[in-house]
Amino acid sequence: MNKTTMETWSVWCILLISSLLPNGFAHSDFYTSVGQMTDLLFIEKDLLTSLKDYIKAEESKLEQVKHWVEKMETLITTATRDPEGFLGHPVNAFKLMKRLNTEWGEVEDLVLKDMSDGFISNLTIQRQHFPNDEDQAGAAKALLRLQDTYNLKTEVISTGDLPGLPADLPYKSTLTVEDCFELGKIAYSEADYYHTELWMTQAVRQLDDGEQSSVDAVTALDYLSYSVYQQGELERALEHTKRLLTLDPTHQRANGNLKYFEYQLAKQRKVEKEQRGTEEEKEEREKGEADRKKDVHTERKKYEQLCRGEGVRLTPRKQSRLFCRFYDNNRHPYYVLGPVKQEDEWDRPRIVRYHNIISDREMEKVKELAKPRLRRATISNPVTGVLETAHYRISKSAWLAAYEHPVVDRINQRIEDLTGLDMKTAEELQVANYGVGGQYEPHYDFGRKDEPDAFKELGTGNRIATWLFYMSDVSAGGATVFPEVGAAVKPIKGTAVFWYNLFPSGEGDYNTRHAACPVLMGNKWVSNKWIHERGQEFRRPCGLHQTD
């Protein structure tokens, strides 16, 4: 078996072995988990090493060819001055025959030799683990989501100077014209003309500032003018089209658009003039439109404000009712000598935080157990009850049972000791890692009356309470917010928060509607325990009133 055949056979063997690896190594929405995205960096590092080896091999080959050329140049220069005299020497005549019959063939083989085999083989093997178009689009949409939630200008994202981050951050990165253009194109493919306009404008701005790019201003302006037109801004669409035509007067589509926009603008102005009416009528129309928009976006607006640290309703009076204490859960034997630090985060609903409640070693073990199993987080369809992925939950999760490792069992027991609730009917420990712009939009943990089949298959009743561990600090963003009451809880590594989803009467507390804000910067790891009603009958007795 020759060398080439052996290399081909090795590649196929490695591909076969790779195909038999656990599904955790196959492609599965990389952008939804920063933890799993770290694997891609090591794949890229391996490819870079392989590419450097290829460059060294090519350089070595070129050096050999260059050395041959230099040797031959000296020889030919001497020989061609007196060809007959040169070949009159029998050694020279023999060497000429040898060179043309043998040595030039060897040079030909050297020049034709493909030094890329190793790199191409490695690339072929690793390609199966690469992100796909969905990942690229998902990461782009995550950037757009961060832009909206945190009111970020395109210039801020493009320069990498995100709010709250040190200016000398060693891994700060910037966006090129091509990057901005790609973000605009992805938004355009989703008919998201608002973000198309923002990012095509940024691409044009960077071109105007002199940045060299393979993307030209004409192409960007073409997208820009159409996206502005789709938003009903005819005058600005016309301005962008005119600028495009100054750069390319023969642009066929722009010339057609110019005439169409001018016609539509004249028509629009005529209609506006006829329907203008009195100033009072105009104001009334504008007020009605503003009210409608406000109704539609009220919760979204509250959610985003809380994510930015705005709109938190922590008044001085409310603050005076919140305390910190050493907590032993009514002199629980385990915590009498070592009570835990408990802090009130909110009063209604009552949200408490436990400090230093899980060790670094425990957190690392939980992450280690969960990482190979992380799968795209799902939600239960309220109509069909089927688990499915959703754009408003961008994370990956895994479930850990108590019997799998003593650490998980110990964590479950700790939750039981501190809450006084039975863990036998609770769901397994869910571990979640959030991806680029990872979030979970406002939702309830408990099943509402319009979801009679929620958790029916478990046979353990509704989710009475939620316990949430924070297993990482987050540089920016990533807070847990409660839009109904204006509360915001910041992730602090090693802490946990706890709240009841149901009143003692068993009725749902609708003020517990909460959300996980998008992660602006950092890697967010959490784990949560959903505790159910069954088994709590004597641990949390029912109240007499609906909202007790």
Side-chain angles (χ1 to χ4, degrees):
M1 188 181 291
N2 60 36
K3 183 181 177 183
T4 304
T5 305
M6 288 180 67
E7 287 179 348
T8 304
W9 175 247
S10 298
V11 170
W12 278 110
C13 285
I14 296 172
L15 284 171
L16 178 60
I17 293 169
S18 299
S19 69
L20 297 175
L21 289 173
N23 288 335
F25 289 87
H27 175 271
S28 54
D29 297 335
F30 283 113
Y31 74 97
T32 61
S33 167
V34 169
Q36 285 192 326
M37 284 175 64
T38 57
D39 296 338
L40 297 178
L41 285 176
F42 290 100
I43 288 176
E44 196 166 40
K45 180 182 178 182
D46 180 51
L47 286 175
L48 184 60
T49 300
S50 181
L51 187 58
K52 287 165 70 175
D53 290 341
Y54 160 68
I55 291 171
K56 287 179 182 177
E58 286 286 4
E59 287 176 340
S60 174
K61 183 178 89 170
L62 288 173
E63 280 299 317
Q64 293 178 61
V65 174
K66 184 179 177 182
H67 179 71
W68 168 262
V69 168
E70 289 173 348
K71 183 181 76 171
M72 289 303 300
E73 274 188 333
T74 303
L75 179 66
I76 293 300
T77 300
T78 302
T80 52
R81 285 176 186 159
D82 181 8
E84 292 184 2
F86 179 81
L87 291 175
H89 194 296
V91 172
N92 287 339
F94 163 74
K95 293 186 71 173
L96 175 63
M97 298 301 106
K98 178 177 174 289
R99 280 198 306 274
L100 290 173
N101 184 55
T102 304
E103 295 181 18
W104 275 105
E106 293 172 352
V107 172
E108 180 185 20
D109 290 341
L110 180 61
V111 171
L112 293 176
K113 186 177 181 181
D114 188 354
M115 311 302 291
S116 66
D117 284 349
F119 171 68
I120 295 300
S121 298
N122 194 17
L123 185 62
T124 301
I125 294 166
Q126 300 286 17
R127 192 182 297 280
Q128 62 185 317
H129 305 304
F130 281 11
N132 60 16
D133 291 344
E134 181 186 347
D135 280 301
Q136 183 173 334
K141 291 173 190 175
L143 270 181
L144 305 183
R145 184 164 55 251
L146 291 173
Q147 180 179 13
D148 292 343
T149 303
Y150 296 104
N151 274 346
L152 302 176
K153 294 182 178 179
T154 52
E155 300 96 318
V156 170
I157 299 176
S158 182
T159 57
D161 295 321
L162 300 179
L165 301 181
D168 58 347
L169 195 70
Y171 37 82
K172 185 178 78 171
S173 188
T174 59
L175 296 177
T176 63
V177 170
E178 287 89 349
D179 295 330
C180 297
F181 181 75
E182 184 63 26
L183 283 168
K185 273 183 66 179
I186 289 173
Y188 181 85
S189 69
E190 297 284 319
D192 178 1
Y193 300 114
Y194 168 72
H195 286 108
T196 303
E197 178 192 351
L198 291 180
W199 286 101
M200 289 303 173
T201 299
Q202 181 63 27
V204 171
R205 185 182 296 119
Q206 289 180 207
L207 286 169
D208 289 343
D209 289 341
E211 183 178 327
Q212 297 298 312
S213 172
S214 59
V215 176
D216 58 78
V218 169
T219 306
L221 284 166
D222 195 13
Y223 277 100
L224 179 56
S225 62
Y226 185 74
S227 62
V228 170
Y229 159 70
Q230 284 290 346
Q231 296 176 79
E233 299 285 342
L234 279 169
E235 287 189 47
R236 291 198 300 116
L238 191 59
E239 289 174 10
H240 293 310
T241 303
K242 287 179 178 177
R243 183 182 173 189
L244 189 161
L245 288 170
T246 61
L247 299 173
D248 183 4
T250 63
H251 198 285
Q252 188 173 357
R253 183 166 49 251
N255 277 298
N257 287 344
L258 180 68
K259 295 176 183 177
Y260 179 73
F261 292 162
E262 287 175 337
Y263 168 75
Q264 289 293 334
L265 186 59
K267 186 177 175 181
Q268 183 185 79
R269 286 171 176 168
K270 182 180 179 182
V271 171
E272 286 175 353
K273 187 176 181 181
E274 291 173 351
Q275 296 180 348
R276 186 168 295 160
T278 65
E279 285 299 318
E280 291 80 4
E281 291 173 340
K282 183 180 179 182
E283 289 176 9
E284 189 65 29
R285 285 198 306 272
E286 291 175 350
K287 184 177 182 299
E289 184 65 26
D291 289 342
R292 282 192 293 275
K293 289 181 179 178
K294 184 178 179 182
D295 291 340
V296 172
H297 301 293
T298 295
E299 184 181 61
R300 180 77 195 181
K301 183 179 179 182
K302 286 181 184 177
Y303 160 57
E304 292 184 348
Q305 283 180 330
L306 289 169
C307 289
R308 295 193 295 269
E310 305 165 7
V312 178
R313 300 180 202 155
L314 189 59
T315 61
R317 183 178 177 183
K318 186 179 289 290
Q319 180 74 58
S320 68
R321 297 198 295 267
L322 306 179
F323 298 93
C324 295
R325 65 189 69 79
F326 284 103
Y327 182 75
D328 61 12
N329 193 16
N330 295 321
R331 299 188 63 77
H332 186 284
Y334 192 82
Y335 294 105
V336 168
L337 295 177
V340 298
K341 297 175 182 177
Q342 187 191 68
E343 177 186 3
D344 295 332
E345 287 281 351
W346 210 257
D347 57 347
R348 299 183 69 182
R350 186 163 187 252
I351 306 168
V352 294
R353 187 195 294 266
Y354 295 89
H355 290 269
N356 303 318
I357 200 63
I358 184 171
S359 69
D360 286 342
R361 183 176 295 180
E362 288 172 325
M363 288 185 283
E364 290 310 309
K365 175 53 69 175
V366 169
K367 292 177 190 177
E368 179 188 324
L369 293 170
K371 192 172 180 181
R373 308 189 209 171
L374 288 175
R375 298 292 181 272
R376 176 74 182 271
T378 56
I379 55 96
S380 177
N381 187 301
V383 177
T384 64
V386 175
L387 293 176
E388 58 189 20
T389 61
H391 70 277
Y392 54 82
R393 189 178 189 187
I394 307 298
S395 64
K396 283 188 176 179
S397 59
W399 298 86
L400 302 179
Y403 64 80
E404 295 185 61
H405 198 278
V407 165
V408 182
D409 188 38
R410 189 162 64 243
I411 286 171
N412 288 345
Q413 187 61 53
R414 189 175 306 154
I415 298 172
E416 179 167 329
D417 293 342
L418 290 169
T419 62
L421 298 175
D422 193 342
M423 293 297 112
K424 292 185 181 67
T425 57
E427 295 176 45
E428 293 177 349
L429 187 71
Q430 181 182 220
V431 183
N433 181 226
Y434 288 81
V436 180
Q439 64 163 2
Y440 191 179
E441 290 185 5
H443 62 281
Y444 300 103
D445 280 349
F446 64 90
R448 278 83 66 209
K449 289 181 178 179
D450 59 347
E451 299 175 302
D453 294 333
F455 317 121
K456 184 177 179 180
E457 72 281 359
L458 298 177
T460 53
N462 211 340
R463 287 173 175 166
I464 191 174
T466 296
W467 178 284
L468 177 65
F469 285 111
Y470 293 113
M471 301 196 300
S472 67
D473 290 314
V474 180
S475 302
T480 306
V481 298
F482 296 74
E484 295 296 318
V485 296
V489 179
K490 183 180 179 181
I492 301 176
K493 186 178 181 181
T495 70
V497 291
F498 172 77
W499 67 86
Y500 279 102
N501 297 305
L502 306 180
F503 292 114
S505 64
E507 291 293 322
D509 184 352
Y510 286 82
N511 283 333
T512 61
R513 186 169 174 82
H514 60 287
C517 294
V519 178
L520 179 58
M521 183 74 183
N523 187 8
K524 182 181 177 183
W525 283 90
V526 299
S527 58
N528 63 277
K529 195 77 174 173
W530 281 313
I531 307 166
H532 284 248
E533 292 176 291
R534 299 294 179 264
Q536 321 304 343
E537 292 83 356
F538 297 105
R539 298 185 181 224
R540 194 198 190 207
C542 292
L544 298 176
H545 301 286
Q546 183 174 340
T547 57
D548 277 352

